Amino acid sequence: NVTGYDLMKLQVGAHGSFGVISAAWLRLGPRPECERVFAAALGESGDALARAVAAARLPSARACALVDLNFGFVVESDRAPRSGWLLIVEVAGDEAAVARDAARLGADFGAGDATRGVIERVRSLQGENFAPAGLRFRLSVLPSRLDRVLRELAGADAALLVYPGSGLVFARLALEG
């Protein structure tokens, strides 16, 4: 009778020992009728993060990522920003919802259709190394502190991939010597 994972009951019932899942019910949804990926250059405006959070909260948004100019050329060469951020949004659902959110992304962000495979390239940035030596790390940040964390990391010349809806930040710093 629980929607989602009821792991608290599993842990409390285990009395501090390991829990064993003997049965599980998985509820799966149908494949979406329509899937589209959009990209928009947000530039260096101070409200880029707030705009990205708004895009992540669209009803049909399945994935939303901000990529800085260090990674923009890897993800979307046609729309790679010369400065600031590149917004990548994947929307999925029924055709009417996708069309409505596509129109909003176009009007509010100037987003256009992205090239094929852009979401896979964004996800691959989470684990790839582009330099022979460097420091790669992942941060989970409260949304209220995301702006400050991004400013500090950008000041350290880190290459950034940000999921603004969940507060995940993947950063890469090049090390010399």
Side-chain angles (χ1 to χ4, degrees):
N1 65 352
V2 175
T3 301
Y5 300 109
D6 194 11
L7 297 179
M8 187 176 128
K9 288 183 184 174
L10 175 68
Q11 192 60 27
V12 170
H15 300 289
S17 63
F18 288 108
V20 175
I21 298 174
S22 62
W25 288 32
L26 301 176
R27 293 189 177 105
L28 304 174
R31 276 202 150 122
E33 285 178 28
C34 182
E35 298 175 359
R36 290 177 68 187
V37 180
F38 297 94
L42 296 184
E44 292 188 47
S45 64
D47 66 340
L49 182 60
R51 294 176 70 201
V53 169
R57 291 183 178 158
L58 289 173
S60 66
R62 182 160 61 180
C64 179
L66 273 175
V67 183
D68 74 352
L69 64 106
N70 295 308
F71 287 145
F73 70 94
V74 175
V75 173
E76 182 69 44
S77 60
D78 296 344
R79 294 183 189 268
R82 302 215 188 281
S83 65
W85 296 97
L86 177 67
L87 175 70
I88 304 293
V89 182
E90 180 184 37
V91 292
D94 61 24
E95 292 204 27
V98 169
R100 182 187 65 242
D101 288 344
R104 184 164 176 205
L105 285 168
D108 294 351
F109 302 96
D113 286 312
T115 58
R116 189 177 182 98
V118 70
I119 288 295
E120 288 79 19
R121 288 191 297 275
V122 166
R123 290 183 180 130
S124 72
L125 288 176
Q126 297 172 17
E128 287 184 18
N129 277 330
F130 292 101
L135 177 64
R136 180 181 66 199
F137 55 95
R138 181 183 78 173
L139 300 169
S140 182
V141 180
L142 291 171
S144 61
R145 297 183 184 208
L146 194 56
D147 186 40
R148 180 172 179 199
V149 168
L150 294 181
R151 276 187 276 126
E152 293 290 332
L153 288 170
D157 204 25
L160 299 170
L161 166 64
V162 181
Y163 292 101
S166 61
L168 278 176
V169 178
F170 292 87
R172 190 165 293 122
L173 293 166
L175 299 178
E176 296 182 26

